[in-house]
Amino acid sequence: MSELFDAVDALVASRAKLPPPAERKRLRAAHGLTIDEVATALKVRRATVSGWESGKTEPRPPERDAYARLLDKLAELYPADAAAAPVQDTAVPATFTTAPAPAEARTLSTGQASEAADMTATENTQTPAPVAAAPAAARRPARTTRTSSTSRRPGAKKAAPAGTPAGGTDPRFENGPLAVVDVDADGQVLAYCTGGLVLDVPAKSIPALVDWTLREAKLGAPKLSGPGKDADPLLVLTEAALERYGLPATLTEEERLAGRIPKSHKVIKQLARAEWKLTKRGFGPWARIYRPATGSERACVQLCIPSWHALDTRHWGQAAQLPPAELARVLGVYASRVMTPRGSTAVTGLELMTALHPPTRASEPDTDGKRHSEHNPGSLGKEPVDPAPCEAPDGHPVLKDLPRFHVRGPEEKLFEEAYDWARPMTDAECTLRHLVGIDVNMAFAAGANGLAVGLGEATHVKAPVFDPKLPGSWLVDLSHVDLSRVKVGKDKWAELDASLLPSPFTPKGERPEGPAWYATPTVAYAVELGYEVRPIEAWVRYDNGRYLDGWYNRLRDAYLATMADLGVHADMAPEDFLAAMDGYKARDPELAIVVSAVKATVKGGLGKLRERPRGEGWRPGEPWRALARPTWRPDIRAAVISRTRINLHRKIVKHAAFTGQYPIAVLSDCVVYASAGPSPLDFLPYRDGKPLPGGFKLGINPGLVKHEGTQSVLWGEEVRERFDAPVLNLARYIKDGTVTDVDNGE
């Protein structure tokens, strides 16, 4: 009889009314229980409890009875009407402290998944707005393992681990922007998504994989701007996945040089039979597989193949060697904060500009109620524009009439590049003990912030009056600018030792000898220093705007959010900042990879604005592929570099005027000073925690500086003597003291 009573009790319990999902979570958190503790007590997976609390799934017998008993007991202790304020969930820490324990990942089958400010150009001390989908902490998930199908509950999902972006609110992309496709020990193909999600992949071929991705995987990302397009889903194929789908694990030397596998490969034939197409770059490390769009619907999937060197180690570190779950995390954080990768970091940096400022938008309805494509104001448009002759690199078609082997000088060619300058140390500097390098954070991004750039074609003007607000290239003689006496404020002049300063007008720091072409920020700085300028001629762009502001803001926020996850926050005290930066990469090496990729996106994207020919049988005077892009704009690149170099020189001058200290080497965004102590605080003039206005300031924001490295003065002199190079640029080696190559300045 007791067995019958037990059976009746179990039947009643199986239909017991449970509180709503939000109340379940409240009760657990009110008692200070974590999801893991509840899961252990009920002998279920963490993901199962998470699914019950999110409402994605409901408990089943026999766990339902025990779960209902737990909730009843907690409801007696913490009645709903007594809850004056929501209780913080102690299962997920809100801030970064130490590396938490790894969390178990979630596994879904395909069918189950379908159920489921205005700142200055030189520095920014303002805390940025929160990044969309940014995690609150830097938790590192363990490598996900697939459970057997019998142990998975339908629709079970695990809450995304902190530090890993989860799918967005858009139901079309609920599984995130990308997935890493791998094959487990049982031979099952799995797709590791962001947030710890794992999907079973039924596809047996690449065409079927593409079709599954578009129909069932729910991968992708919403557009970044109103007139833009949603991001296509990205699949990252591991070596095991390549083998499963009949692709080589690595490329041959011939294929590597070509950048793709041959068209005769069987997988490409499979795609052709299934009526899928490849872009002109073919099936390479970053392949795009698509069908022509029908209306507003896109059918496109991008593949990333790390073993084919898709992830450059200079920018992505050892990401290609990470297990699938960890690689999904790294790429997922980058995708959520920057954008879904479209190729190299340089390609992605350029694509981000277009994604934020699409060339066209839908017009207002006409008389028939139809909308048409029209130019999107503030964008670069759909058609490329020719550069001015002075802005064109050698070999450009606009220069085809120049004599063969003609070498253009500064009066014919705009040459705005980053600093590479050094000088011998003075006797006084040699008596000091240390050489300290400081590096400007996101220097080129800061140079782009608030910068007006040309949007359309250039107009040639003779003998113009200089306008610092008008983007363009100016032929002007700046040789009369004397750095021994410069203006450092309103009606305030400073006397300096010009022999110890680089010229702001040339990358090598040499004083110009006559007329030369300069971008607007360079000429404007000559005026700022207190000198008159009289341009001889100019190519100016009356159609202009702050095209790069949105690009800067997104990359700045991505950088600051990721650094915050690593324990380095904005507005820290100088001493706290230096301590936080010490070893920050070791706190979470995966997020450190994201930081490196974000910085590479800035430099690479700007470099792409003046992309040079890449083989393809190109000859001087002929167009190359990059010229067909509206984003091939060497004038914009020159303006950003000019602004960046001028920003740095302005700080150097302010520092020299106030302290009497001069740099001994400058390389791009790194400056080296001789110092009595090993820390930047030993020579940076802080008073009551406040820096010199307009000078160098320690901090993580773009435009502020961090400690690059410290070496001894004896080290510097020994290196220069060893290589017989009195003007060796020590900024190149200041980080770790390793001298790998020598540039004697000639």
Side-chain angles (χ1 to χ4, degrees), residues 123 125 574 684-698:
E123 64 183 42
T125 57
L684 292 182
Y686 272 82
R687 287 185 177 177
D688 299 325
K690 296 182 180 180
L692 171 68
F696 295 109
K697 178 182 179 180
L698 289 166

Side-chain angles (χ1 to χ4, degrees), residues 165-426:
T169 57
D170 193 323
R172 297 173 302 160
F173 312 126
E174 69 175 36
N175 294 331
L178 56 88
V180 179
V181 181
D182 192 28
V183 181
D184 69 4
D186 298 329
Q188 172 65 43
V189 181
L190 303 175
Y192 293 79
C193 306
T194 57
L197 171 67
V198 182
L199 303 176
D200 287 332
V201 181
K204 304 298 183 183
S205 66
I206 289 292
L209 179 64
V210 173
D211 189 67
W212 169 82
T213 302
L214 294 172
R215 292 178 181 273
E216 301 182 53
K218 294 189 176 182
L219 295 173
K223 57 189 177 183
L224 296 180
S225 65
K229 299 176 182 178
D230 295 330
D232 298 320
L234 172 65
L235 297 181
V236 184
L237 303 184
T238 66
E239 291 189 37
L242 293 174
E243 181 180 358
R244 169 60 62 90
Y245 290 120
L247 290 164
T250 59
L251 297 178
T252 66
E253 183 65 17
E254 182 179 355
E255 291 168 342
R256 187 186 64 81
L257 293 174
R260 62 185 69 87
I261 58 176
K263 294 181 180 179
S264 59
H265 195 281
K266 64 178 182 179
V267 170
I268 296 181
K269 293 181 179 179
Q270 291 173 358
L271 290 168
R273 285 196 297 269
E275 298 182 343
W276 289 105
K277 298 181 180 294
L278 292 163
T279 57
K280 289 183 179 180
R281 62 183 174 186
F283 203 122
W286 292 92
R288 298 188 68 80
I289 303 172
Y290 72 99
R291 287 190 179 123
T294 55
S296 60
E297 294 296 323
R298 289 172 57 83
C300 182
V301 173
Q302 178 160 300
L303 303 183
C304 167
I305 306 178
S307 64
W308 293 6
H309 304 292
L311 302 175
D312 192 326
T313 55
R314 294 172 298 175
H315 311 139
W316 291 102
Q318 300 305 309
Q321 278 71 53
L322 291 174
E326 281 83 344
L327 180 55
R329 179 192 182 222
V330 169
L331 294 176
V333 172
Y334 179 89
S336 68
R337 293 177 172 176
V338 180
M339 70 180 297
T340 305
R342 295 288 302 273
S344 66
T345 51
V347 169
T348 304
L350 197 68
E351 291 288 343
L352 180 61
M353 297 180 195
T354 303
L356 294 169
H357 285 287
T360 59
R361 67 178 184 182
S363 67
E364 293 297 325
D366 59 17
T367 55
D368 297 328
K370 295 183 178 180
R371 296 180 183 270
H372 306 276
S373 177
E374 67 177 14
H375 174 70
N376 183 26
S379 75
L380 298 182
K382 292 184 65 176
E383 300 300 324
V385 298
D386 283 336
C390 62
E391 299 164 349
D394 294 337
H396 192 279
V398 302
L399 306 174
K400 62 183 179 181
D401 294 331
L402 287 178
R404 192 178 183 186
F405 304 121
H406 176 73
V407 178
R408 295 184 295 161
E411 72 284 355
E412 296 178 278
K413 180 180 180 180
L414 177 69
F415 191 66
E416 295 282 12
E417 297 294 341
Y419 266 130
D420 185 356
W421 170 87
R423 63 169 176 82
M425 285 187 281
T426 65

Side-chain angles (χ1 to χ4, degrees), residues 423 425-438 661-665 671-683 707 709-717 720 730 734:
R423 63 169 176 82
M425 285 187 281
T426 65
D427 292 341
E429 289 167 340
C430 288
T431 64
L432 301 176
R433 297 185 61 185
H434 302 280
L435 298 176
V436 183
I438 53 176
Q661 298 170 335
Y662 296 83
I664 65 167
V671 188
V672 176
Y673 283 90
S675 170
S679 168
L681 289 174
D682 290 317
F683 69 92
H707 184 203
T710 296
Q711 304 297 329
S712 68
V713 168
L714 291 177
W715 165 86
E717 288 301 294
R720 286 177 167 175
L730 297 176
I734 195 69

Side-chain angles (χ1 to χ4, degrees), residues 17-21 23-28 38 52-53 59 64-78:
K17 183 177 178 61
L18 295 174
E23 178 66 4
R24 302 170 195 174
K25 180 177 180 179
R26 185 192 72 80
L27 291 171
R28 173 184 59 75
V38 174
W52 296 344
E53 291 188 356
R64 183 186 178 96
D65 184 16
Y67 190 48
R69 289 174 185 269
L70 172 65
L71 295 176
D72 286 342
K73 293 292 185 181
L74 294 177
E76 293 176 4
L77 296 173
Y78 310 99

